[in-house]
Amino acid sequence: QVIDCTNLTVLPGLIDPHVHLRDPGDPRVETFLGGTRGAVLGGITTLFDMPNTAEPVTSRDRLERKIELMSGQIWCDVGLYLAATKTNSVELGMLEQQENVCAIKVFLGSAKGELLVDDDASVETIMRDGARRICFHSEDESRLQERKKLFTAGGPHRLHADWHDVECAFLGTRRLAALARRTGRPIHILHVSTAEELSYLRDFRDLVTTELLVNHLTHFGPDIYDTHGGFAVMNPPIRDRRHYDAAWAAVRDGMVDCIGSDHAPHSREAKERPWPETAAGLTGVQTLVPVMLNHVSEGRLSLERMVQLMAEGPARVYGLANKGRIAIGYDADFTVVDPGHRRVIEQDWIASPCGWTPFDGYECTGWPVMTVVRGQVVMREDEVLGSPSGRPAVFSTAGLS
Ligand code: DOR
Ligand code: ZN
Ligand code: ZN
């Protein structure tokens, strides 16, 4: 097979470190097959799958079951998060050594049931049992509950950003930074969404790494709520322009380690419910690379910086083995892009069964034209090729970060 890359750019395989594939769950919304098909169509070679599925990944049995279920169902390589509860820290401390585990994920707020770990004592216990970098959804749950009382149901969707306000995220992040300092455990704060957190975390770079989301780098309120309604609702929320500007400043000045999509599909019906019953979460694994390439073409970051944040960064933060760079001994994972190709993102391009994207109608300059996973061309010019032969991604737990 001859591959002609005239006028194309070959990048190390791009990684989406924040994806909710939801499997096992509701196959009308998302599946391993549909979500990873979207990933390779969008130029992603590896993704990390979140653990808050119908049966959350809280134990060895659940982890092993997920690995079995994935087999023959994934188009790209997939690393797996473990879900913390208030009672499984000892088991997770051992299980985080399993080679396919990317990290433990803790919901400090915004989660239901056993996945909510909202008190400092439980978080400290989790930090003390184990060694690898822990990932956090950082929102303060008591403040969220208090603020909810201030609003009446049925208001406009932009109230979502007032409810999950800056202090919800900032307070969560201050608590986590203090606990990281006290225990010495490295942590990764997912989807940092405020100027305040980005500035505060400057003093914690020795222990705290950060992720920003493409939605927070592309949209801002209140505009996005006026145009998208419930299809703009996510946690932490899309905020006003001040935070968007701070996020871009952070991308340029080195305060950010990873960029992810937080692909979190919900049915249209759940997104159309009146606020605050609207399901929170947006799709994004398939559109992440085109949208970021467009930001490159519009001069918001360099292609080199984009690769740092979408390949080297995730590989370093999570300890991904043999991926993240083009180097001898590394997997032959490549994303080939056409930096000058102009194309509009269209809803019916989306492979996820839920079938919608907040980027419908968004015009991109720059497009992924080929996805190569471990030497196999799995996507070429919008065609998905071969069979779903993705594997569980492998992490090196030897040199712990
Ligand atoms: O908007 C969100 N959706 N934020 C989360 O933290 C969870 C996610 C989901 O699973 O739907
Ligand atoms: Zn989250
Ligand atoms: Zn998420």
Side-chain angles (χ1 to χ4, degrees), residues 180-242:
R181 183 65 76 221
R182 186 148 83 228
T183 59
R185 182 91 181 250
I187 66 170
H188 184 57
I189 303 195
L190 298 161
H191 45 46
V192 175
S193 63
T194 67
E196 282 77 355
E197 290 166 281
L198 288 164
S199 150
Y200 186 79
L201 289 173
R202 271 178 203 289
D203 293 337
F204 293 88
R205 287 301 275 162
D206 54 325
L207 281 173
V208 184
T209 51
T210 59
E211 173 196 73
L212 292 185
L213 298 183
V214 64
N215 274 298
H216 293 143
L217 287 166
T218 312
H219 305 302
F220 41 83
D223 316 45
I224 190 70
Y225 296 100
D226 296 341
T227 54
H228 286 61
F231 292 87
V233 170
M234 61 182 294
N235 294 326
I238 298 174
R239 306 187 189 278
D240 65 26
R241 179 81 201 218
R242 180 168 75 84

Side-chain angles (χ1 to χ4, degrees), residues 20 22 52 107 110 137 191 233-236 262 264 266 280-281:
H20 299 259
R22 305 253 193 259
N52 59 331
F107 286 90
S110 262
H137 180 114
H191 45 46
V233 170
M234 61 182 294
N235 294 326
D262 201 354
H266 292 280

Side-chain angles (χ1 to χ4, degrees), residues 16 18-21 30 35 261-265 282-286 352:
D16 187 342
H18 195 148
V19 176
H20 299 259
L21 288 179
E30 190 55 291
S261 71
D262 201 354
H263 177 76
L282 308 182
T283 62
V285 69
Q286 189 171 342
S352 289

Side-chain angles (χ1 to χ4, degrees), residues 13-270:
L14 299 175
I15 299 164
D16 187 342
H18 195 148
V19 176
H20 299 259
L21 288 179
R22 305 253 193 259
D23 206 342
D26 181 351
R28 288 167 305 179
V29 174
E30 190 55 291
T31 56
F32 284 129
L33 214 49
T36 58
R37 187 183 177 87
V40 300
L41 279 166
I44 295 293
T45 56
T46 301
L47 63 82
F48 303 162
D49 179 41
M50 283 292 172
N52 59 331
T53 32
E55 286 185 343
V57 187
T58 51
S59 64
R60 184 175 294 277
D61 284 357
R62 297 259 177 94
L63 176 68
E64 284 171 0
R65 190 167 128 73
K66 200 170 205 180
I67 292 172
E68 269 172 46
L69 282 173
M70 272 178 4
S71 171
Q73 301 288 309
I74 50 178
W75 287 95
C76 62
D77 287 356
V78 174
L80 295 171
Y81 285 92
L82 300 171
T85 70
K86 290 186 183 182
T87 56
N88 71 351
S89 70
V90 174
E91 185 172 5
L92 292 198
M94 292 184 286
L95 208 49
E96 69 168 5
Q97 302 294 325
Q98 204 280 1
E99 66 173 8
N100 307 125
V101 168
C102 64
I104 294 168
K105 162 85 180 272
V106 184
F107 286 90
L108 193 66
S110 262
K112 290 192 193 81
E114 60 168 352
L115 296 195
L116 182 64
V117 183
D118 54 354
D119 64 296
D120 281 11
S122 299
V123 174
E124 181 162 347
T125 303
I126 294 165
M127 285 188 181
R128 292 197 187 277
D129 290 333
R132 290 177 68 187
R133 190 175 291 276
I134 309 178
C135 293
F136 285 91
H137 180 114
S138 171
E139 287 186 286
D140 186 89
E141 184 67 18
S142 342
R143 183 170 173 97
L144 277 174
Q145 295 304 333
E146 276 309 307
R147 287 194 66 75
K148 194 169 185 186
K149 298 177 193 153
L150 303 176
F151 302 96
T152 44
H157 288 101
R158 75 180 126 75
L159 289 180
H160 194 70
D162 283 341
W163 170 22
H164 289 247
D165 75 346
V166 170
E167 185 61 12
C168 284
F170 191 24
L171 179 54
T173 289
R174 294 199 306 275
R175 288 172 53 201
L176 292 174
L179 287 165
R181 183 65 76 221
R182 186 148 83 228
T183 59
R185 182 91 181 250
I187 66 170
H188 184 57
I189 303 195
L190 298 161
H191 45 46
V192 175
S193 63
T194 67
E196 282 77 355
E197 290 166 281
L198 288 164
S199 150
Y200 186 79
L201 289 173
R202 271 178 203 289
D203 293 337
F204 293 88
R205 287 301 275 162
D206 54 325
L207 281 173
V208 184
T209 51
T210 59
E211 173 196 73
L212 292 185
L213 298 183
V214 64
N215 274 298
H216 293 143
L217 287 166
T218 312
H219 305 302
F220 41 83
D223 316 45
I224 190 70
Y225 296 100
D226 296 341
T227 54
H228 286 61
F231 292 87
V233 170
M234 61 182 294
N235 294 326
I238 298 174
R239 306 187 189 278
D240 65 26
R241 179 81 201 218
R242 180 168 75 84
H243 302 284
Y244 166 95
D245 290 337
W248 277 112
V251 164
R252 290 185 286 258
D253 75 10
M255 270 303 295
V256 181
D257 299 279
C258 304
I259 287 176
S261 71
D262 201 354
H263 177 76
H266 292 280
S267 68
R268 281 177 190 276
E269 178 273 316

